[in-house]
């Protein structure tokens, strides 16, 4: 179980958990700690200091995001967990995001996506099995640890906030969709989509190829 614990590293902080596909530390670069799937900053995406170290900084403008090139490992089909620390400057609204669920934290278009939902300020976790929503609202101008997982064999999904289960359920079991789109953090800008640009800070965005 991961309830009551943050994900990412063992207590020593010296290694990453089994199943980590990519984990970007944002130490003034977008290097993946696994050495396999590093990212590139695009548009207005930059760095700002958090936790006495940098985090990815986004201003909500179109094209501002971090992009990781597509790879087979970024298309898990049997289980997935998405994780990040987020500090939004504002909650998106229907006026700013008329055609999307909200602003993207991390995801691949048409495969798996974790959003800060517009108007409600809740988390929205999207996979082929459905759209799943948190119960709690994310605070503005405050760091929050968020994670979401889905097990394709059982259909069980969960959303965790600050290390504790906030929402869960069981959907109809089914494989996670795959996509040729890149993995993107802070916005969607591929396959004809250009939307969902995050306004705030994101740190340690991570993809795992299993439901933790």
């Amino acid at each position: 179980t991961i309830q009551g614990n943050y994900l990412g590293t063992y207590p020593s902080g010296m290694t990453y958990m089994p199943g980590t596909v990519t984990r970007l530390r944002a130490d003034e670069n977008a290097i993946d700690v696994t050495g396999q799937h590093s990212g590139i900053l695009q548009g207005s995406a930059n760095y700002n200091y958090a936790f006495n170290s940098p985090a990815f900084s986004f201003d909500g403008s179109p094209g501002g995001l971090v992009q990781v090139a597509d790879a087979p490992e970024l298309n898990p089909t049997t289980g997935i967990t998405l994780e990040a620390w987020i500090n939004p400057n504002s909650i998106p609204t229907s006026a700013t995001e008329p055609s999307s669920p909200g602003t993207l934290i991390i995801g691949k278009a048409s495969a798996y996506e974790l959003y800060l939902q517009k108007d409600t300020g809740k988390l929205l976790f999207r996979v082929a099995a459905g759209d799943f929503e948190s119960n709690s609202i994310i605070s503005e101008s405050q760091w929050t640890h968020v994670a979401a997982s889905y097990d394709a064999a059982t259909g069980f999904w969960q959303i965790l906030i600050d290390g504790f289960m906030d929402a869960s359920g069981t959907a109809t079991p089914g494989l996670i969709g795959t996509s040729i789109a890149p993995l993107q953090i802070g916005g969607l800008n591929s396959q004809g989509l250009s939307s969902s640009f995050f306004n705030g800070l994101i740190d340690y965005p991570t993809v795992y190829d299993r439901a933790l």
Side-chain angles (χ1 to χ4, degrees), residues 31 50 78 88 90 102 110 131 134 136 159:
I31 294 174
T78 59
S90 61
S110 304
D131 287 359
S134 70
S136 298
I159 295 174

Side-chain angles (χ1 to χ4, degrees), residues 106-159:
I106 182 171
K108 281 178 109 256
S110 304
Y112 51 83
E113 298 148 21
L114 182 61
Y115 290 94
L116 178 60
Q117 192 174 46
K118 63 185 178 185
D119 300 326
T120 69
K122 296 181 179 181
L123 297 177
L124 180 72
F125 178 39
R126 171 173 288 179
V127 291
D131 287 359
F132 312 123
E133 186 180 277
S134 70
N135 290 313
S136 298
I137 296 170
I138 301 300
S139 298
E140 298 178 7
S141 304
Q142 178 177 311
W143 281 105
T144 303
H145 182 269
V146 299
S149 69
Y150 172 75
D151 186 328
T154 63
F156 180 74
W157 62 270
Q158 60 178 333
I159 295 174

Side-chain angles (χ1 to χ4, degrees), residues 9 16 20 22 25 27 39 71 73 147 153 155 168 197 212:
T9 58
Y16 49 87
T20 304
T22 184
R25 293 182 59 187
D27 285 344
E73 297 82 12
S168 65
F197 295 103
L212 296 176

